Amino acid sequence: MASTMLSIASATPSASLSMHEKLKGKVKLGSTTNSTAGFIKTKSFGRVSMVAAVNVSRFEGVTMAPPDPILGVSEAFKADTDEKKLNLGVGAYRTEELQPYVLDVVKKAENLMLERGENKEYLPIEGLAAFNKVTAELLFGADNSVLKEQRVATVQGLSGTGSLRLAAALIERYFPGAKVLISSPTWGNHKNIFNDARVPWSEYRYYDPKTVGLDFEGMIADIKAAPGGSFILLHGCAHNPTGIDPTPEQWEKIADVIQEKNHIPFFDVAYQGFASGSLDNDASSVRLFATRGMELLVAQSYSKNLGLYAERIGAMNVVCSSSDLAARCCEVAVIQVKSQLKRLARPMYSNPPVHGARIVANVVGNPALFDEWKAEMEMMAGRIKNVRQKLFDSLSAKDKSGKDWSFILRQIGMFSFTGLNKAQSDNMTNKWHVYMTKDGRISLAGLSLAKCEYLADAIIDSYHNVS
């Protein structure tokens, strides 16, 4: 380890050398040196100096990373002592009392696990077989031909992030040079994932700030202009951060263009059942592409719809070709793809955790628990819809400028894209103690009906009085 010498000399002040010079290593003390126990005794012209060794870490060159733009919001919120503060940054469901919520059906599934006395042995690399079966059925529909024809390779992943990262590694290794197109804007971690996997990416237009809606023409034009065979990352439902989803007719057009350009659709499904309250409705975009016989990638997460944030439970699904002539080749391809996903997962995390996988398998695989889960999802989605309506009503009543706030009602899911810029978002935090991401996104899941009018005051002030 590198070290610097500090001299504690017995010489006269005029003979002493500055600490700065010694720290910079510009001074050589004496002609002979003996070192013991971290100190150096140096002889020089009959004078004795004691020199203390100050170790400098070899990690000194590792720079400070910037705070995470989403998780950093919660850290700032916790440090704020104001009673009116609101945390609308992280996408985690809260009750009307703004408390974390553990689903009743999750508690029942965990009780079943305790009663059975299930062990904590390692899972296979691909994860829990019962989980992989039910998660694919939940996504595509149990009667979907892609499952009956065994055209889907499914492996358990570390929630949505880990599943996306696994797919990125697959793209980097087996589609060298292929580009991923992501929406502008998108979830903050998408770029990190592809950068870390060394997968090139670019953006397609999605959000129109003039209408606070979807720039559909721009989106289609950019997908058409992308190099053939690109991966097009799509949000299956409840687009994050905007809450703006294509209509069913627009999804059809998106599928047309992707097929024409021989692109590969890559879905991120983080909110199935949590956006509209219906598992089937929220999976309709994915099922549309699968029904067309397209090859596609789909990452799933159970953080939101089952509230399993800390369990890190999700899946990566790869759908292979449906051509009759390629049927036998497809079966081989599914096996090969799954083997390579396992090969990529092994050095990353070896094998996935079992607890969350068993919860999902118990809930989705048990008809009674499954029905209870759907009812709880409808309740959670319903609370967010009520908050969205109340916020719109409060903004419309309080803002006398005539501004149209109806875009809030056209958005879906736990987020709303307010249209506020960075300076206005900073005002929300600095003046009103409302914590949110700097792109103007707020999480309605962290808002209560009782706080809607306060939030409306903050938004109106920030929008009209901060340029």
Side-chain angles (χ1 to χ4, degrees), residues 116-331:
R116 293 170 184 165
E118 291 174 316
N119 61 46
K120 301 294 183 182
E121 292 292 304
Y122 289 125
L123 285 178
I125 301 172
E126 66 266 33
L128 186 70
F131 166 79
N132 289 342
K133 179 179 183 296
V134 298
T135 194
E137 291 176 348
L138 191 73
L139 178 64
F140 296 105
D143 295 329
N144 197 305
S145 61
V146 297
L147 297 180
K148 290 183 176 181
E149 296 167 12
Q150 299 182 333
R151 294 196 282 114
V152 184
T154 301
V155 297
Q156 183 183 332
L158 303 183
S159 198
T161 300
S163 301
L164 288 163
R165 182 62 179 82
L166 190 61
L170 183 74
I171 293 170
E172 190 276 333
R173 182 167 296 184
Y174 293 101
F175 299 85
K179 181 179 286 188
V180 175
L181 266 69
I182 59 179
S183 65
S184 176
T186 192
W187 176 50
N189 216 17
H190 279 150
K191 296 176 182 179
N192 295 335
I193 289 167
F194 295 116
N195 284 338
D196 192 59
R198 295 180 175 84
V199 173
W201 56 268
S202 62
E203 296 179 311
Y204 60 83
R205 282 169 282 178
Y206 194 86
Y207 172 69
D208 184 352
K210 294 179 181 178
T211 63
V212 196
L214 177 64
D215 182 359
F216 184 65
E217 291 183 2
M219 177 185 185
I220 292 298
D222 290 344
I223 294 174
K224 282 184 176 180
S230 296
F231 289 82
I232 312 299
L233 186 64
L234 303 163
H235 299 227
C237 64
H239 182 274
N240 181 2
T242 67
I244 302 164
D245 284 355
T247 65
E249 294 75 21
Q250 288 171 332
W251 274 120
E252 292 278 2
K253 179 63 175 176
I254 293 166
D256 288 342
V257 174
I258 288 177
Q259 277 189 301
E260 290 168 9
K261 290 289 297 185
N262 199 31
H263 295 322
I264 301 176
F266 182 177
F267 281 93
D268 183 359
V269 179
Y271 306 98
Q272 186 182 357
F274 196 79
S276 68
S278 166
L279 288 162
D280 292 328
N281 288 346
D282 291 347
S284 60
S285 59
V286 174
R287 294 177 186 179
L288 166 67
F289 283 67
T291 300
R292 288 186 173 212
M294 301 170 71
E295 294 188 302
L296 60 149
L297 281 65
V298 190
Q300 291 173 276
S301 168
Y302 288 91
S303 292
K304 307 299 191 297
N305 55 12
L306 261 173
L308 300 177
Y309 308 99
E311 300 297 349
R312 312 314 296 147
I313 177 64
M316 186 63 227
N317 303 269
V318 181
V319 181
C320 298
S321 173
S322 66
S323 168
D324 291 338
L325 294 174
R328 184 171 298 177
C329 293
C330 179
E331 291 179 14

Side-chain angles (χ1 to χ4, degrees), residues 358-373:
R358 283 181 176 151
I359 292 173
V360 176
N362 283 336
V363 171
V364 182
N366 181 309
L369 292 182
F370 185 60
D371 287 341
E372 287 187 43
W373 177 39

Side-chain angles (χ1 to χ4, degrees), residues 26 35 53 85 90 113 121 133 153 186 218 233 245 282-283 376 428 432 465:
K26 292 183 177 179
S35 176
K85 66 180 182 178
V90 179
M113 292 157 61
E121 292 292 304
K133 179 179 183 296
T186 192
L233 186 64
D245 284 355
D282 291 347
E376 281 195 90
M428 294 280 288
W432 294 89
N465 298 325

Side-chain angles (χ1 to χ4, degrees), residues 23-141:
L23 282 171
K24 292 179 69 175
K26 292 183 177 179
V27 180
K28 294 182 180 179
L29 297 174
S31 56
T32 60
T33 302
N34 295 314
S35 176
T36 57
F39 291 93
I40 299 176
K41 184 183 287 185
T42 304
K43 296 181 180 178
S44 179
F45 306 107
R47 291 177 281 110
V48 178
S49 297
M50 291 208 52
V51 182
V54 179
N55 292 326
V56 178
S57 172
R58 296 184 185 183
F59 297 99
E60 187 180 31
V62 178
T63 59
M64 178 68 72
D68 185 272
I70 298 176
L71 299 181
V73 172
S74 291
E75 295 172 7
F77 170 80
K78 290 176 183 177
D80 192 334
T81 58
D82 193 281
E83 292 182 355
K84 299 185 295 295
K85 66 180 182 178
L86 274 174
N87 185 1
L88 306 183
V90 179
Y93 181 80
R94 296 289 181 264
T95 65
E96 179 62 23
E97 294 71 38
L98 301 184
Q99 296 301 309
Y101 178 65
V102 179
L103 276 69
D104 290 337
V105 74
V106 168
K107 297 174 184 176
K108 291 180 180 180
E110 288 180 316
N111 285 334
L112 281 176
M113 292 157 61
L114 288 173
E115 291 170 5
R116 293 170 184 165
E118 291 174 316
N119 61 46
K120 301 294 183 182
E121 292 292 304
Y122 289 125
L123 285 178
I125 301 172
E126 66 266 33
L128 186 70
F131 166 79
N132 289 342
K133 179 179 183 296
V134 298
T135 194
E137 291 176 348
L138 191 73
L139 178 64
F140 296 105

